Amino acid sequence: MMINKIIDTILPSRCFSCGIIVSDPFALCTSCWQDVKFLTPPYCDICAMPLPFPSEEAQKCGKCLTDPPIFERIRAAVQYNDMTGKMVMRLKYAGQIGMAVLMARQLAKYAEQEGEEALLVPVPLHWTRMLRRTYNQSALIAQHLSTITGQKYDPFILKRRVATKSLKGMSGKQRGEMVGRAFEINKAHRAKLAGATIILIDDVLTSGATSRACAKTLLKAGAKNIILLSWARVMSAA
Ligand SMILES: [Zn+2]
Ligand SMILES: [Zn+2]
């Protein structure tokens, strides 16, 4: 359209990472794309950790066989590395909210696999953080996912009970204790949870303590199962 042409000329789309001009407004340039490592099979059917060999049958990693996660499934689009870490920082702190469109596009195939009745629920930010940052990056990803997949999205169903301190520098156990009681269900939205399949949306999966605490709260309130979709995943994470 003419108007888009004019906008393009005035405000050309730029690569989210290095800033050179690109044609797609929600993309990286070819060179930066090379540093984005997508998570592809063979991987564990449950937690999506890479497995050494492809197989015809369903495969589970050793950890999921002995100690299965609270999630029905975990899927992530990309490995967390310097490039994807930078992309998350830009979304979180530099106001590059268009990045959420790119991330949602990369998660859409995983969300679609869970059926159209599944409900998209972002990991919430505490309202005090919300005030400072003005938006929740996971909610933005969930919202764009909902536009792509047609699945419903509810950013209000889960609430943070207390402002959790920064988890940096804590051990896995300490993080678990900190966030274990951090979430509650918004009563006005509770009815939606009965027997529901919930797709929990996060930007980065690190130790998983936060998303596990969300899942516990949702299951206790009547959800049938929880699928965790995180855009990036720290590869050493459990
Ligand atoms: Zn670039
Ligand atoms: Zn696994």
Side-chain angles (χ1 to χ4, degrees):
M1 272 191 345
M2 192 63 191
I3 189 81
N4 285 348
K5 279 255 157 25
I6 296 168
I7 292 171
D8 276 356
T9 319
I10 306 167
L11 279 174
S13 310
R14 292 188 178 274
C15 167
F16 279 128
S17 178
C18 69
I20 71 163
I21 293 173
V22 290
S23 55
D24 185 335
F26 305 112
L28 295 172
C29 72
T30 334
S31 152
C32 290
W33 266 128
Q34 286 171 4
D35 292 328
V36 176
K37 303 286 177 240
F38 286 93
L39 286 166
T40 51
Y43 52 54
C44 168
D45 285 325
I46 308 287
C47 74
M49 273 312 229
L51 292 172
F53 307 107
S55 157
E56 299 283 295
E57 291 153 43
Q59 292 194 108
K60 291 181 186 176
C61 72
K63 185 157 189 311
C64 289
L65 280 172
T66 54
D67 181 21
I70 190 167
F71 305 102
E72 182 85 5
R73 255 179 301 289
I74 300 171
R75 292 291 182 267
V78 302
Q79 294 184 20
Y80 186 83
N81 60 16
D82 286 350
M83 174 58 71
T84 57
K86 200 160 88 177
M87 291 168 73
V88 169
M89 294 303 278
R90 293 252 166 116
L91 170 64
K92 272 189 181 175
Y93 303 111
Q96 290 199 358
I97 55 179
M99 194 90 76
V101 176
L102 175 77
M103 293 173 179
R105 283 180 182 175
Q106 294 173 357
L107 286 172
K109 65 174 175 185
Y110 300 116
E112 276 162 357
Q113 281 165 10
E114 305 303 338
E116 52 191 31
E117 295 301 318
L119 180 66
L120 299 159
V121 173
V123 170
L125 276 188
H126 189 259
W127 66 271
T128 53
R129 291 204 189 176
M130 201 65 176
L131 285 182
R132 264 181 286 147
R133 206 185 290 157
T134 70
Y135 59 88
N136 172 358
Q137 73 282 359
S138 298
L140 282 178
I141 299 171
Q143 190 183 356
H144 289 299
L145 256 177
S146 168
T147 309
I148 299 169
T149 66
Q151 289 157 325
K152 289 204 174 68
Y153 138 83
D154 190 335
F156 304 110
I157 214 159
L158 261 183
K159 295 193 294 185
R160 255 187 219 258
R161 205 192 296 262
V162 286
T164 358
K165 282 192 274 176
S166 170
L167 299 177
K168 274 196 186 114
M170 285 192 187
S171 72
K173 190 160 178 278
Q174 284 171 322
R175 284 174 185 230
E177 283 165 8
M178 273 288 289
V179 298
R181 291 169 299 279
F183 299 97
E184 62 186 336
I185 300 294
N186 186 336
K187 288 197 182 69
H189 295 242
R190 197 183 193 100
K192 290 188 195 176
L193 285 176
T197 292
I198 304 294
I199 307 178
L200 188 65
I201 305 295
D202 209 352
D203 53 350
V204 181
L205 173 59
T206 310
S207 73
T210 306
S211 44
R212 270 199 302 276
C214 290
K216 255 184 216 163
T217 310
L218 290 162
L219 287 169
K220 233 170 93 184
K224 189 174 76 180
N225 48 26
I226 318 287
I227 291 96
L228 175 62
L229 290 192
S230 175
W231 179 66
R233 173 180 194 154
V234 175
M235 295 317 289
S236 59

